[in-house]
Amino acid sequence: MRRSAAPFLALLAVLLAGCRPAAAPDVGGADTPARGGRFVYPLPIEPATLDLVSGTDQASVLVQKLVADGLVDHDADLRPVPRLAESWEFSPDGRVLTFSLRRGVRFHDGEALTSDDVRHTYDRIVDPASRAIGRLDAFLPVERIETPDPHTVRVIYREPYAPALRAWETPIAPRPGNAGGAVGPESPGRAPIGTGPFRFVAWEAGRRIVLAANDDYFGGRPHLDEFVFQVIPSQETALQALLAGEVDYASLTPVQWQAHGGRAGFDRRFRTLRFVPLFLYYIAWRGDGSNPFFADPRVRRAVSLALDRRGYVESVLRGLGEVARSPFHPAVLPAREEADGAPFDPERAARLLDDAGWRIDPSTGLRAREGVPFRFRLLIYGSGQDHVQFSQVAQESLRRLGIEMTIQRLDWPTLWSRLKSGDFEAALSGTVFTPDPDSLFGMLHSSQIEGGQNYAAYRDRDVDGWLEEGRRTLDSDGRESIYRRIERRVNERQPYTFLFYPTVVAAVSRRVGGVTPSPLGILNQFPGSAGFFAGRGTDR
């Protein structure tokens, strides 16, 4: 299979990742895109790091998308497109993937990109010291990498690997002695150097990250002079900043949308965007025996059945969401008609708990087994309004079932650290999917318990085997059959309660044109980048 760069080059006139060509951008009637100004984007969570290899949290990835490039990317329809690679080719047996790198690409310090930088990035990812959680598992099938010349990268896999291209969306980091060894007084985690449409300028901790247009970008200089990520944990504060003209984009809560959507003054200043992102809220039930509650799949299924996810979406979210009926995102693998991992059924939940030995203690009103009361703590991200609201609803639902759940609010770095270490009984979090069903490998394969994203510590020999088989199978129908087996098993055993996909309703300033979302948002797709927005954005 060979992909040409021609479609990518033809679309460079599109002004933003995910934008469709239009007769004229929406910038106050201008016939041509305006130049200059800045775009200010609110980040609810500050990145854990800006290191191009180890930074895999959602906020870090958004910044990386503008500072660096992968060999491959995806367009607004989730199809693979060339980025740093101008083309690629698979061998007939599917074991060798050869990339031809784009010539003339330079890092932000002026050093040329070569195949050695790709090899260096791979070496860092597979080095345990890098702690590249979220990236390592996609590179474990690689047997070796060859770089026969500066513009050729040959990746040899131990066996056919169906999601191979998706792995190479990873941003390419400069090798030591090239840009990577000369990052100035700060580490790559604080001052990254990439090849992307924007170069790093400053990170004011707790406040903002400032990027400036890369005049030497291979795809053409961005229209904007600056892109600023403003750290604003509160959605209410972000909305007020949008109304004050201090930011150019903000996602709206259901209450905010109800208050402002459709109002003449609001619609005059802002355009409304709506999309269902590749993002899922879930509760991980730690099932490794470190606590007495969730090792039994009957208990996990019971607590899932006790949660009225549909009622929450319809009432609290005002319908702005989709209940998760499967571990797979519907844009990647739509759920079977009969699939529903955990329909609301508190009576059945009570029977399952009775069968598992957790029965109501008349003296306390709580369920207990062998003298141990069913009392546990749920960790949540304390600044996330969705997290707080749903955890409170879940707390009341479980109380009616005879289970006492306390809620512990944490900041994001602490929650992430607790998830990685397995130091929790239950945790509410979220995950960003890739456009491939293999994205569940990290959450479900037992190899990902230590150092990976299998936070529930789920072990299932069959699921491990099916996940591995799905990676080896190149036939699309064969792959779907495998993932349907995984869907049925995971829906039965509920290592996670897959809650819902929130529908994003967002407002963007009408001073900025060419902004069209995809399931990956407004920043996280290609060709183009956020730098290709038309219009000046905020003047602040």
Side-chain angles (χ1 to χ4, degrees):
M1 172 182 177
R2 181 176 292 276
R3 286 295 305 262
S4 165
F8 161 68
L9 297 172
L11 285 169
L12 277 178
V14 180
L15 302 177
L16 171 70
C19 298
R20 302 286 197 269
D26 182 13
V27 283
D31 292 327
T32 58
R35 199 69 175 270
R38 68 175 62 174
F39 189 91
V40 182
Y41 183 96
L43 273 182
I45 302 172
E46 191 166 26
T49 176
L50 294 183
D51 187 288
L52 299 181
V53 169
S54 62
T56 58
D57 60 285
Q58 188 177 11
S60 301
V61 169
L62 286 177
V63 179
Q64 291 168 7
K65 206 72 176 178
L66 306 188
V67 173
D69 300 288
L71 299 186
V72 181
D73 216 310
H74 47 261
D75 64 13
D77 295 317
L78 309 184
R79 297 170 300 195
V81 293
R83 193 158 177 174
L84 288 179
E86 61 183 6
S87 64
W88 59 77
E89 185 175 15
F90 281 100
S91 63
D93 65 358
R95 288 191 57 240
V96 181
L97 173 57
T98 303
F99 291 103
S100 295
L101 300 186
R102 193 181 301 278
R103 286 165 170 74
V105 177
R106 296 188 176 277
F107 286 95
H108 296 153
D109 72 341
E111 295 289 336
L113 168 80
T114 74
S115 57
D116 286 340
D117 299 298
V118 180
R119 179 195 289 274
H120 165 69
T121 301
Y122 165 77
D123 288 342
R124 279 202 61 204
I125 289 171
V126 299
D127 180 356
S130 294
R131 296 185 61 79
I133 296 174
R135 291 201 167 108
L136 176 60
D137 71 282
F139 289 91
L140 293 177
V142 175
E143 180 179 294
R144 67 184 187 279
I145 287 183
E146 298 175 350
T147 53
D149 63 59
H151 296 100
T152 303
V153 177
R154 188 176 298 124
V155 188
I156 296 90
Y157 291 87
R158 295 182 181 86
E159 55 192 4
Y161 181 54
L165 283 177
R166 300 295 183 188
W168 292 102
E169 294 183 12
T170 296
I172 300 302
R175 68 190 184 281
N178 194 349
V183 294
E186 297 183 277
S187 71
R190 299 294 303 183
I193 293 177
T195 59
F198 285 86
R199 57 182 177 81
F200 174 83
V201 175
W203 183 355
E204 301 171 29
R207 184 162 176 253
R208 64 179 186 166
I209 295 169
V210 180
L211 311 177
N214 175 11
D215 294 333
D216 195 34
Y217 189 53
F218 70 84
R221 185 195 187 278
H223 288 92
L224 297 169
D225 292 333
E226 284 189 329
F227 196 98
V228 177
F229 289 95
Q230 194 82 21
V231 181
I232 306 179
S234 164
Q235 281 188 282
E236 182 58 38
T237 305
L239 173 61
Q240 294 307 313
L242 179 76
L243 296 173
E246 297 170 354
V247 301
D248 297 295
Y249 174 90
S251 61
L252 307 179
T253 68
V255 173
Q256 291 170 341
W257 169 243
Q258 196 170 51
H260 295 279
R263 303 289 178 89
F266 190 81
D267 288 350
R268 187 166 52 249
R269 296 179 59 198
F270 308 105
R271 289 192 297 114
T272 301
L273 310 176
R274 186 187 294 245
F275 58 97
V276 179
L278 294 182
F279 181 84
L280 169 72
Y281 282 113
Y282 66 83
I283 297 177
W285 311 106
R286 189 72 181 182
D288 61 352
S290 60
N291 66 75
F293 306 115
F294 302 117
D296 188 333
R298 292 174 296 181
V299 175
R300 300 194 299 263
R301 185 158 182 76
V303 290
S304 295
L305 292 169
L307 304 179
D308 187 3
R309 300 169 299 151
R310 188 171 304 282
Y312 178 83
V313 168
E314 291 175 353
S315 59
V316 179
L317 297 185
R318 271 77 166 177
L320 296 179
E322 294 185 15
V323 173
R325 296 169 45 237
S326 162
F328 298 101
H329 192 283
V332 176
L333 186 66
R336 293 171 295 113
E337 191 65 33
E338 67 276 15
D340 193 344
F344 181 51
D345 193 342
E347 293 182 1
R348 188 178 175 197
R351 291 195 300 270
L352 283 170
L353 289 170
D354 287 341
D355 291 345
W358 293 97
R359 295 184 172 87
I360 295 291
D361 182 344
S363 65
T364 64
L366 287 179
R367 290 185 179 271
R369 187 180 67 183
E370 298 177 354
V372 177
F374 203 142
R375 180 182 292 124
F376 73 95
R377 179 179 291 114
L378 176 74
L379 307 187
I380 70 167
Y381 169 52
S383 296
Q385 187 171 353
D386 284 348
H387 295 238
V388 173
Q389 287 179 325
F390 187 83
S391 64
Q392 291 172 340
V393 172
Q395 184 181 48
E396 176 59 22
S397 297
L398 294 178
R399 185 196 63 78
R400 290 195 295 267
L401 197 62
I403 296 173
E404 182 179 312
M405 182 185 82
T406 58
I407 300 168
Q408 183 174 0
R409 302 186 186 190
L410 303 173
D411 60 31
W412 172 246
T414 304
L415 175 60
W416 195 41
S417 175
R418 295 279 294 274
L419 283 168
K420 290 188 295 182
S421 67
D423 181 18
F424 67 94
E425 296 164 315
L428 171 62
S429 188
T431 187
V432 178
F433 289 97
T434 69
D436 190 286
D438 182 69
S439 58
L440 277 178
F441 188 97
M443 290 185 73
L444 297 175
H445 198 279
S446 63
S447 67
Q448 303 302 298
I449 294 174
E450 299 295 333
Q453 293 178 299
N454 186 349
Y455 302 133
Y458 181 55
R459 295 182 185 274
D460 187 315
R461 189 172 301 174
D462 289 336
V463 170
D464 283 355
W466 294 332
L467 287 165
E468 293 161 11
E469 187 181 356
R471 289 186 155 189
R472 294 191 300 267
T473 303
L474 304 182
D475 172 68
S476 58
D477 290 339
R479 287 193 87 203
E480 179 174 348
S481 175
I482 294 163
Y483 290 119
R484 292 302 184 194
R485 283 181 248 156
I486 295 171
E487 178 185 65
R488 285 190 291 272
R489 178 63 62 84
V490 173
N491 276 353
E492 289 168 1
R493 301 198 174 176
Q494 295 287 303
Y496 303 84
T497 297
F498 296 99
L499 298 172
F500 55 88
Y501 313 101
T503 297
V504 172
V505 176
V508 62
S509 170
R510 287 191 179 273
R511 292 176 296 185
V512 183
V515 185
T516 303
S518 83
L520 288 155
I522 67 167
L523 304 184
N524 202 7
Q525 61 262 351
F526 206 66
S529 271
F532 297 105
F533 280 137
R536 297 186 62 84
T538 178
D539 294 323
R540 293 174 181 265

